[in-house]
Amino acid sequence: MTDREVWIVAGDIMAEYGDQTTDYIIDRVTDALGDRVAVDDWRRIASAVDVIAAGGPRC
């Protein structure tokens, strides 16, 4: 995933799942554990969600 795609996905997930975003991400990471690339993508998405939730600047 490109950095732009990570931020778009993070924003979309937060818009759809709100307070349940963390649970959603944990479920997806659990599903992806056998796929190293997918786990890295979800790690990056989770990091972007943290920045968005904190109201910080984007990279």
Side-chain angles (χ1 to χ4, degrees):
M1 287 184 125
T2 66
D3 288 341
R4 182 176 188 280
E5 290 170 324
V6 166
W7 284 97
I8 290 170
V9 170
D12 289 347
I13 290 170
M14 288 188 72
E16 185 170 344
Y17 293 95
D19 292 342
Q20 301 301 313
T21 297
T22 301
D23 294 333
Y24 176 80
I25 290 174
I26 289 170
D27 288 345
R28 298 296 73 80
V29 169
T30 300
D31 292 344
L33 281 176
D35 183 345
R36 192 162 178 79
V37 172
V39 169
D40 186 54
D41 285 344
W42 280 108
R43 179 196 55 78
R44 293 171 58 216
I45 291 167
S47 294
V49 165
D50 286 343
V51 173
I52 293 168
R58 289 195 258 165
C59 300

